[in-house]
Amino acid sequence: MQTPTGTAELQAEIYARSPQSLGAMLLERIRIAPDDQAFMYPDKQEVWQELSWSQVGELSTAFAAGLLARGMVQEERVGIIATTRIEWALADYGIALAGCATTTVYPNTKSEDVRFILSDSDSHLVVAEDMSQVEKVTAYDQLDQDITVIIVMDGESDGEHVVSWEDFLQEGRDYLEAHPDCVSDRVAATTRDHLATLIYTSGTTGRPKGVRLKHGAWTYLAESVELMDLVTSDLLAYLWLPLSHSFGKSMMAFQVKYGFRTAIDGRIDRITENLGIVKPSFMCGVPRIFEKVRVAVLTGETSHGIKGMIAHWAFSVGFKAIPYRLKGEDLPPILALRHKAADKLVFSKLREKMGGNIRFMISGAAKLSPQVQKWFYAAGIIVVEGYGMTEVATVDAVNHYHRPVFGCVGDTIPGLETKIADDGEILFRGPVVMDGYHKNPEATAEAIDEEKWFHTGDIGYLDEQGLLFVTDRKKDLMKTSGGKYIAPTKVEAALMANVPYISQAIAVGDGHKYVGALLVMDPDLLMKWGKNHGHQHESYEELTQLPEIRHSLDRYVARANTHLEKWETIKQYAVLDHELTVESGGVTESMKIKRARVIASHAEIVESLFNDVEETTRES
């Protein structure tokens, strides 16, 4: 077992000086910078509007007062079912000010799961994005009886259960006139030990579990990360991450603490366009976002002809410059001249497409391929990894952009005790660890041992400098019939980094002689390929099974294999004729692949990857 890092003394010091609650932290931000810009957001006409911190305070306080007018008590749950948008943030701030707790629900959650989450959490009030989300609540008679009011962001009041966003805010303003101290009194009564957030982990198996996070977890996280000197108040963040997910929630806590501006819009199809409009300083994302940007360049107009040759040359120069840049050394004269030309011809144009002001980006929620990191770094764009889990308030380690280490998730946050168990599992202990799973003491006892260590289920190690590396999920490790342990995420990362037309990859091979894979094609790229190759009339399903596609994939899979050890290489693969979706049960709401379920539901295809070859091997 590696020596634990982090100290209880530092932890106690940070905890003691952290704000009492999210509401108190918000009021302090409003007090010290009332006129500073807090948010940018697109209105219904796609015109970007601005909100100052004082305006945020007025709106969120009105929302809080509306909750109090409805009789909501300390720690009572309020569900939010919506995409990431300004109203989500304002409602969450209002819930914190009222001393209540937010129950987050992904907007693409199925109706029956919405029923379970709202019922299990004992949520009595719901904020819904539109009438389609309202219908998920009202579809069940019992749930409809438990929910006293539904606030709809885009919709009108119906005089019964449904109240429009504006009407609810007016209720709050009216209540404030009669009870001017109601919100400040509730903030004063809210402590670090009160429940702030209930996040149901989508999970890859079974029913979702409600993760209970106290106010002290979020305020400690914000206070602790401030010591890492990652962000400053002059930055502009682009926030598209689902606020239903703890990664997005942590960004809101950081914004309140540091005071940086945030452009908020959760529509994934608008990311590229919006980056050019708002020109942010930094953005957090999941690996798939960065993979898609890279693939768009590799397969776009600049990938062919003269432009393709120039881009290929530029990146070869960029890769040669990486060792010098990482060490902070000057480039050799000839390389420096070539790098300047490469930057002018190729890299500067790529950065301009991302707004032109990006200082760094942080990838989290899943493993990012070091190969993808190097590609961005070669172009002068820094993408570093962070690591965390919902059960530990999400941000538990992050690689600083001033000293990037490819494949590393960086330093753990100050004061967070960290150790590696004898079997390689990563363990954490500290104020950011959840209060437990809601109404699930058995699952809580499995996750948190008697010494208060949270068992992440991830395998990793700490290097000589104390930097954390995560290698795979403990339960996902595969063991071949030859006795070799293989981390599927490493195999999948190699595939995602080298096979440009795929959107998902699932490594298989537990108990077999070698590794196989299930590949899912990216719909947009595949249909574009079909149009360019005379197959514009074929469907997605038909295109996935074309021999030409298989021939093209063979070359790319062979390239991916060069980045793997011999025993990790993919010998056989199958291309699925359908996507893995939330609706089909193939991925979670946060787009993590439900590995066991996918393999089980495609058992016949998986077995076909091994049967013929292994049978031949036995006969010979």
Side-chain angles (χ1 to χ4, degrees):
M1 182 180 292
Q2 287 183 281
T3 303
T5 65
T7 66
E9 292 79 11
L10 177 59
Q11 185 181 107
E13 178 187 332
I14 295 171
Y15 189 67
R17 69 167 181 258
S18 64
Q20 280 286 105
S21 68
L22 286 167
M25 192 162 71
L26 175 61
L27 292 182
E28 177 63 12
R29 172 54 51 194
I30 295 167
R31 185 189 68 79
I32 63 177
D35 298 324
D36 286 1
Q37 186 188 84
F39 284 103
M40 296 171 61
Y41 66 95
D43 63 18
K44 293 180 180 179
Q45 286 72 46
E46 299 298 339
V47 177
W48 285 81
Q49 304 295 332
E50 298 181 0
L51 282 180
S52 67
W53 281 109
S54 63
Q55 290 171 313
V56 168
E58 190 277 323
L59 292 166
S60 56
T61 299
F63 190 93
L67 296 178
L68 299 179
R70 292 276 177 164
M72 298 292 283
V73 300
Q74 204 106 42
E75 296 188 313
E76 194 167 2
R77 266 72 71 194
V78 180
I80 303 182
I81 315 174
T83 55
T84 293
R85 50 189 286 174
I86 188 62
E87 291 88 352
W88 209 115
L90 294 172
D92 191 54
Y93 288 151
I95 293 166
L97 290 171
C100 298
T102 302
T103 300
T104 70
V105 185
Y106 285 97
N108 57 357
T109 302
K110 294 180 181 179
S111 183
E112 56 267 31
D113 288 330
V114 170
R115 177 188 184 185
F116 169 77
I117 291 171
L118 295 180
S119 177
D120 186 71
S121 65
D122 299 313
S123 294
H124 293 146
L125 188 148
V126 172
V127 183
E129 182 160 23
D130 51 32
M131 294 311 295
S132 67
Q133 301 295 350
V134 170
E135 289 170 3
K136 292 180 182 179
V137 182
T138 59
Y140 300 96
D141 292 339
Q142 184 59 47
L143 192 58
D144 189 31
Q145 293 170 19
D146 293 339
I147 303 299
T148 59
V149 65
I150 303 172
I151 304 159
V152 61
M153 297 174 181
D154 296 332
E156 302 298 326
S157 302
D158 67 1
E160 295 182 6
H161 286 316
V162 180
V163 179
S164 73
W165 176 262
E166 287 300 332
D167 285 348
F168 188 78
L169 290 182
Q170 190 56 50
E171 284 185 28
R173 294 184 182 107
D174 293 342
Y175 192 76
L176 275 171
E177 283 191 19
H179 308 84
D181 297 326
C182 64
V183 174
S184 57
D185 287 347
R186 184 60 67 88
V187 172
T190 305
T191 72
R192 299 183 185 93
D193 288 328
H194 280 111
L195 179 68
T197 317
L198 193 53
I199 301 178
Y200 280 78
T201 57
S202 44
T204 54
T205 59
R207 279 286 195 184
K209 298 191 291 287
V211 176
R212 296 174 56 88
L213 291 168
K214 297 178 179 180
H215 281 268
W218 294 118
T219 59
Y220 179 94
L221 177 66
E223 192 77 30
S224 179
V225 171
E226 185 177 36
L227 299 178
M228 301 180 79
D229 194 28
L230 279 169
V231 293
T232 52
S233 61
D234 63 324
L235 297 181
L236 171 60
Y238 183 79
L239 177 58
W240 64 270
L241 290 166
L243 293 178
S244 312
H245 189 275
S246 52
F247 195 4
K249 285 276 294 178
S250 66
M251 287 297 296
M252 290 179 59
F254 296 148
Q255 181 191 8
V256 173
K257 180 64 181 179
Y258 307 135
F260 57 77
R261 298 171 296 149
T262 294
I264 185 169
D265 187 354
R267 296 172 295 176
I268 295 177
D269 61 346
R270 299 280 301 188
I271 291 177
T272 302
E273 182 177 349
N274 283 344
L275 288 176
I277 296 172
V278 304
K279 303 183 184 304
S281 313
F282 78 101
M283 180 183 81
C284 294
V286 295
R288 185 61 189 141
I289 293 297
F290 302 113
E291 291 162 354
K292 283 179 75 71
V293 171
R294 179 172 176 265
V295 167
V297 174
L298 295 177
T299 62
E301 295 179 359
T302 58
S303 64
H304 308 291
I306 297 297
K307 288 183 178 180
M309 293 174 61
I310 293 174
H312 180 77
W313 170 81
F315 273 95
S316 69
V317 172
F319 283 119
K320 290 176 183 176
I322 286 177
Y324 299 96
R325 293 175 55 212
L326 287 175
K327 295 177 182 178
E329 299 176 354
D330 292 335
L331 302 183
I334 294 178
L335 181 58
L337 288 173
R338 291 173 178 170
H339 191 266
K340 185 176 181 180
D343 190 77
K344 182 177 181 179
L345 293 171
V346 178
F347 302 151
S348 62
K349 293 178 173 61
L350 176 58
R351 294 195 299 272
E352 193 60 36
K353 286 183 178 180
M354 304 184 76
N357 292 325
I358 289 286
R359 297 189 196 177
F360 65 94
M361 295 186 287
I362 299 176
S363 176
K367 184 66 179 172
L368 178 68
S369 166
Q371 194 176 343
V372 173
Q373 280 185 282
K374 290 179 182 178
W375 184 87
F376 275 100
Y377 194 77
I381 301 170
I382 301 174
V383 181
V384 294
E385 272 196 282
Y387 168 75
M389 302 184 71
T390 299
E391 289 87 343
V392 199
T394 304
V395 181
D396 307 312
V398 63
N399 186 195
H400 203 295
Y401 57 89
H402 283 157
R403 43 187 185 278
V405 178
F406 304 134
C408 171
V409 298
D411 297 293
T412 53
I413 63 172
L416 179 63
E417 295 179 86
T418 308
K419 71 177 180 180
I420 308 299
D422 291 334
D423 61 358
E425 185 176 8
I426 302 166
L427 277 58
F428 292 128
R429 184 168 64 184
V432 291
V433 173
M434 66 174 178
D435 190 36
Y437 292 114
H438 192 62
K439 297 180 181 178
N440 200 337
E442 295 82 8
T444 301
E446 289 179 9
I448 303 175
D449 64 27
E450 293 180 355
E451 296 182 345
K452 304 301 182 183
W453 287 102
F454 174 76
H455 293 244
T456 65
D458 286 322
I459 300 295
Y461 64 92
L462 295 162
D463 71 2
E464 295 80 5
Q465 286 74 45
L467 297 177
L468 181 64
F469 290 77
V470 181
T471 55
D472 216 302
R473 288 293 289 168
K474 186 176 178 179
K475 65 181 180 182
D476 287 341
L477 286 176
M478 301 186 299
K479 186 179 183 181
T480 66
S481 58
K484 289 285 189 181
Y485 281 98
I486 295 172
T489 55
K490 180 183 177 183
V491 177
E492 291 157 1
L495 286 167
M496 295 301 296
N498 291 281
V499 187
Y501 292 98
I502 64 173
S503 61
Q504 294 159 324
I506 303 94
V508 295
D510 195 39
H512 294 284
K513 285 181 176 292
Y514 55 83
V515 179
L518 302 177
L519 304 182
V520 179
M521 305 300 292
D522 183 288
D524 294 335
L525 291 175
L526 184 60
M527 300 309 288
K528 180 180 177 181
W529 178 93
K531 184 178 180 180
N532 293 337
H533 290 79
H535 295 282
Q536 58 267 35
H537 300 300
E538 274 91 339
S539 66
Y540 171 86
E541 179 181 354
E542 292 168 330
L543 288 173
T544 61
Q545 304 306 308
L546 287 176
E548 300 98 304
I549 287 293
R550 182 81 189 199
H551 178 71
S552 179
L553 290 177
D554 283 343
R555 292 185 296 111
Y556 291 120
V557 171
R559 182 188 299 174
N561 281 337
T562 64
H563 296 273
L564 298 168
E565 301 293 341
K566 183 178 180 180
W567 59 86
E568 296 170 327
T569 55
I570 301 97
K571 301 293 192 298
Q572 298 288 330
Y573 67 89
V575 181
L576 300 185
D577 62 5
H578 57 277
E579 295 181 82
L580 302 178
T581 63
V582 174
E583 291 72 25
S584 68
V587 297
T588 68
E589 287 83 355
S590 58
M591 302 311 293
K592 292 180 182 177
I593 294 173
K594 295 184 177 181
R595 181 185 301 278
R597 183 174 295 184
V598 170
I599 293 174
S601 62
H602 297 83
E604 191 172 329
I605 297 175
V606 171
E607 286 304 312
S608 73
L609 299 177
F610 304 101
N611 285 343
D612 293 342
V613 177
E614 292 187 343
E615 189 64 35
T616 301
T617 303
R618 285 194 294 269
E619 289 176 356
S620 61

